[in-house]
Amino acid sequence: MITGKTKLLGVIGYPVEHSLSPLMHNAAIQAINDRQNQQNLIDYVYLPFPIKPEDLNTAIAGFSAIGVHGFNITIPHKQAIIPLLSEVSDIARVVGAVNTVYRTNKGWVGTNTDVAGFLAPLQTYNWNWHQKVAVILGNGGASRAVVAGCAQLGFAEIHVVGRSEDKLTTFQQSWVNSPLPVNLTIHKWDELSSLIAQADLLVNTTPIGMYPNIQESPVDEAMFDNLSPGAIVYDLIYIPNPTKFLQQAQVRGAIAIDGLEMLVQQGATALELWLQQSVPVDVMRRSLRQHLGLSK
Ligand code: NAP
């Protein structure tokens, strides 16, 4: 129920219509209230805000003026928001992007919950990460959160595969002075076959295989024969679910992790920051799975 005291949460992006965040955050807010007694109800609503790049400054000033409590940021504002904030967390600085903003008495503070979201499903495996090798496909925005996550876990080697020599070199250089221990090597796609044989964790951060191109995979069928059966294969894509990439890995005995859990966990981490209480991750996950027509 919206009341006179309802506080505003939301997501800014352009476009933003595709965002699944309003669905899962409002489901969580409702579930928290269903589980509380009348005295402890929380009064929040989470809305989508389509904001064009040229309107970002005005929109954020407006958010301050009307007392928005906190918000998520999606493409194309994840970097552009940074100069408009009073403070940026260490992890957001390392990644170079902000996906969550909350308010303090000093002003807006930006952080990045994609790293925590990426790590959450991996942390259910009790592996000695210091002896493991990660191979990451793609060197865009999401790849930066994945590299930061792998560095936090302490991976012995992190290999990043891309198609542009210039972008790969810039990517690598951006980690040289990182406070995280990053043993990062860059590769072109023609080196993938030998890299896959070494991979304990193989992550797709490219959009290859995303709906509607569901027959595509970033890795050729034959190359998957080099994959060690106990490896973890992780696709950041969540539609379709599973992707062809994950199906190829699963038939070879690999552990498959899809992008839906990362989406849910980055959202749960943000909601916990705003509400300062634990949130029903199960409800958030279920709301998305139902919406996408996936089995529970
Ligand atoms: P991005 O910044 O545009 O990066 C995409 C990367 O993929 C770039 O390195 C790009 O290479 C590469 N790439 C694109 N098409 C390619 C192709 N045909 N062949 C080889 N490489 C290709 O995008 P992003 O924000 O990182 O997002 C990437 C994917 O992750 C999307 O599918 C997104 O939905 C997903 N994602 C999921 C979550 C989640 O919570 N599950 C969170 C964030 C992102 P160039 O740089 O050479 O163009």
Side-chain angles (χ1 to χ4, degrees):
M1 196 176 18
I2 310 279
T3 73
K5 295 182 194 152
T6 302
K7 295 187 200 70
L8 267 179
L9 298 169
V11 53
I12 65 166
Y14 198 79
V16 82
E17 296 91 78
H18 65 279
S19 175
L20 298 175
S21 294
L23 194 84
M24 69 171 163
H25 284 289
N26 289 316
I29 291 164
Q30 191 180 332
I32 291 170
N33 282 337
D34 289 346
R35 292 170 190 183
Q36 307 267 31
N37 59 35
Q38 283 297 316
Q39 280 78 47
N40 295 327
L41 294 182
I42 58 166
D43 199 350
Y44 291 88
V45 66
Y46 185 107
L47 298 174
F49 296 104
I51 294 168
K52 292 185 185 140
E54 61 270 30
D55 294 332
L56 185 64
N57 290 22
T58 316
I60 300 308
F63 276 15
S64 299
I66 63 171
V68 166
H69 186 73
F71 56 98
N72 285 129
I73 300 112
T74 188
I75 291 168
H77 304 310
K78 284 185 169 191
Q79 282 92 33
I81 189 83
I82 292 174
L84 307 179
L85 305 172
S86 311
E87 215 175 296
V88 175
S89 71
D90 290 344
I91 194 65
R93 278 206 192 284
V94 166
V95 175
V98 164
N99 81 328
T100 301
V101 170
Y102 58 97
R103 197 186 256 284
T104 67
N105 49 15
K106 289 191 215 139
W108 296 117
V109 180
T111 190
N112 190 305
T113 66
D114 280 335
V115 180
F118 167 70
L119 287 178
L122 290 178
Q123 283 163 332
T124 62
Y125 297 94
N126 197 11
W127 281 17
N128 186 356
W129 303 106
H130 294 266
Q131 294 170 1
K132 304 293 183 192
V133 173
V135 176
I136 300 165
L137 310 178
N139 51 267
S143 176
R144 299 195 60 83
V146 171
V147 169
C150 289
Q152 275 192 357
L153 285 180
F155 267 87
E157 295 173 30
I158 301 172
H159 299 270
V160 172
V161 181
R163 57 184 174 179
S164 151
E165 197 109 28
D166 286 351
K167 283 186 185 173
L168 278 169
T169 306
T170 309
F171 189 92
Q172 187 177 37
Q173 278 165 355
S174 74
W175 294 97
V176 170
N177 294 319
S178 170
L180 292 174
V182 190
N183 179 10
L184 189 144
T185 319
I186 49 172
H187 307 265
K188 298 294 289 292
W189 282 87
D190 53 15
E191 296 170 56
L192 185 58
S193 185
S194 62
L195 283 173
I196 283 189
Q198 304 169 45
D200 299 297
L201 171 69
L202 175 65
V203 190
N204 177 34
T205 77
T206 79
I208 305 170
M210 187 161 71
Y211 180 85
N213 303 314
I214 62 171
Q215 290 310 325
E216 293 179 8
S217 165
V219 177
D220 286 342
E221 192 69 44
M223 253 186 230
F224 261 113
D225 291 337
N226 297 343
L227 185 74
S228 95
I232 298 180
V233 177
Y234 195 144
D235 201 337
L236 264 49
I237 294 171
Y238 44 87
I239 305 174
N241 189 306
T243 55
K244 183 170 181 197
F245 175 68
L246 288 188
Q247 290 174 32
Q248 288 168 315
Q250 267 171 322
V251 296
R252 285 161 176 90
I255 299 165
I257 301 178
D258 63 63
L260 200 66
E261 193 59 18
M262 174 172 170
L263 184 70
V264 169
Q265 296 283 353
Q266 64 76 29
T269 308
L271 193 58
E272 276 177 0
L273 257 177
W274 296 321
L275 303 185
Q276 292 293 301
Q277 61 173 269
S278 61
V279 300
V281 182
D282 54 332
V283 171
M284 299 175 86
R285 184 183 299 115
R286 207 178 320 126
S287 69
L288 292 193
R289 293 190 73 84
Q290 264 169 10
H291 177 77
L292 297 172
L294 301 170
S295 62
K296 290 178 189 157

